[in-house]
Amino acid sequence: MSAAATRRLTTAQALVRFLAAQYTERDGVRRRLITGTWGIFGHGNVAGLGQALVEYREMMPYHQGRSEQAMVHAAVGHARQLSRLSAQAVTTSIGPGATNLVTGAALATVNRLPVLLLPGDYFASHAADPLLQQLEHPVEADVSVNDALRPVSRYFDRITRPEALVASALQAMRVLSDPAETGAVTLALPQDVQAEAYDWPEEFFADRVWRVRRPAPDPAELTEAVRAVRSAARPLIVAGGGVHHSEAEQALKALVDATGIPVASTQAGKGALRHDHPADLGGIGHTGTAVSDSLARSADLVIGVGTRYTDFTTASGTLFQHPDVRFLNLNITAFDAHKLAAGTLVCDARSALTALTAALSGHRVDAAYEAEYRTGKARWDEAVEAAFRADDDGAVPTQTQVLGALDGIVGDEDVVINAAGSLPGDLHKLWRARSPRQYHLEYGYSCMGYEIPAALGVQQAAPGTPVWALVGDGTYLMNPTEIVTAVQENLPVKLVLVQNHGYASIGGLSESVGAERFGTDYRHRVADGSFTGAPLPVDLAANAASLGMDVLRAKTVRELREALATARAATRPTCVYVETAPPSVTLPAEAWWDVPVAEVSAREAATGARAAYERAVADRRRHL
């Protein structure tokens, strides 16, 4: 191409045009890679990316956020709903706008979910030095606050010259679209470079397709995997988030239908099988079901599909107790596949499951094993019914009865979002997932404040789908600001706001480890310095209404059901507010979780907790 085939644009304009021309393709279906840009403008990006987004607003949809962290959460929720095949960009000013991205970036990278971060940066020329909000380092002049994003980004670059964008932008798209590499990608943009003009090659703006591969299993690895499954008497599949990212749910069902191998799921993997499939045992690990954890303790082969094996899944190394237990991991990321000294199938989850099903033709687990886990599943289903049941419709509901009421309202297409507090434990144990995308738990980073902005991103990805953000009072107070964005963009998200006047999850944990629920109640401070007085006169429902939501207050089980039905049919953002009673049916943890307890203490609560801790930690195993 001749030297004349160029276009003179600013760096920011060139970046926006480039992003608008990027696509992914998997299984012959093409999707736009960057579907829109979230932004809050300040002096680090208003004259650069802000101007470019105005100039090319027909090419690149723009969404106005209220909190930088929340914008990342919204983009992450969007990407997860779309199986990581599309993502969104987030732009901020320099200084606090940029550093507010760090938590969201960590969440994205921990969960292997793509998001493009475009924070403003100092003047590359140092013409104005130091400028407002610039970090001055005495011996490293090229350091800025954006360097805090390096450890939580899968790819990071600072674009100090316009032409440097060409190579870096291509690398950024490669990482965002690679299922084995994806996470947060950061291109830090010095504000003078954003506004600088350059003669860009026309090829830079041509449509570009990034094919999302489905690598097949290595034949030798597949042979070993088939041998391991055929020789196992008590195999158990642990379904992780990779099942959903690969859209491998039907392939998993085909394997299970053919072999009878039961499936337990991580928080990210729940819904890989429908809840009423006879081999679906529900959640596994510390927040798992009794039947899942019982089978995990006696499994002689654990088949991990797209899971990272976090401490909640493995019960901090105490769950898999069969003396000869082996592991077989199907994962597109070798780093995860080799965990627990496993046999590996390093490939796409759907490809692996399909190949295993074909290679295991005629193989099925023993009928007595099937009968055992189906009996355990039936017992657990009865426990779920008891937890959801409300014998008195006029009573104040418990938290599990709130979930039961919602369970009775949602359809197969609804999406339920949560991330932190006591709700993840109840949801993992009790929720009856009806479809692959219904159960949306962010539990890799378990970030308080994720739920409401993520609901916006999911709603953008799935217009017309009822999207529910479930939050407690503690989480709500962390990050309610994107309610305003939901109102502004007319996104009819549904918020279920559960008020129990404190950090219920951490309160329970605090009590169990000898910290005596210190600092976990939302109450007045009394004379001795403790927080044991009356609940604070805080009206979170009024707060949600002041931000533009329609609010329905429910005081009884009957009112709750009515409010949830009204919210589901609503065409604008709607909040159902409910104060909960203490649970009438308790479902204790079925497996341990390692939170170290004070080795010495003068307080009886701590010494008793330490004794229990030492008994539990003795069961930890290193699988080699």
Side-chain angles (χ1 to χ4, degrees), residues 66 456 482-493 544 547-550 572-573:
R66 268 72 195 178
L456 273 60
E482 287 349 88
I483 288 173
V484 178
T485 299
V487 173
Q488 183 178 40
E489 299 215 359
N490 195 31
L491 296 169
V493 295
L547 296 177
M549 275 197 135
D550 291 343
R572 66 181 313 276

Side-chain angles (χ1 to χ4, degrees), residues 277-301:
H277 190 286
D280 179 65
L281 308 182
I284 189 172
H286 179 63
T287 53
T289 68
V291 58
S292 285
D293 287 350
S294 176
L295 259 67
R297 291 186 179 94
S298 61
D300 58 354
L301 178 67

Side-chain angles (χ1 to χ4, degrees), residues 506-517 595 597 605-606 608-610 612-613:
I506 294 301
L509 177 62
S510 172
E511 187 172 39
S512 71
V513 298
E516 303 174 53
R517 292 187 176 263
V595 178
V597 176
R610 179 67 191 192
Y613 176 82

Side-chain angles (χ1 to χ4, degrees), residues 115-118 153-156 172-173 175-176 183-187:
V115 61
L116 176 61
L117 307 179
L118 304 172
S153 297
R154 294 291 288 173
Y155 180 82
F156 179 98
M173 298 305 104
V175 174
L176 287 172
V185 168
T186 300
L187 298 181

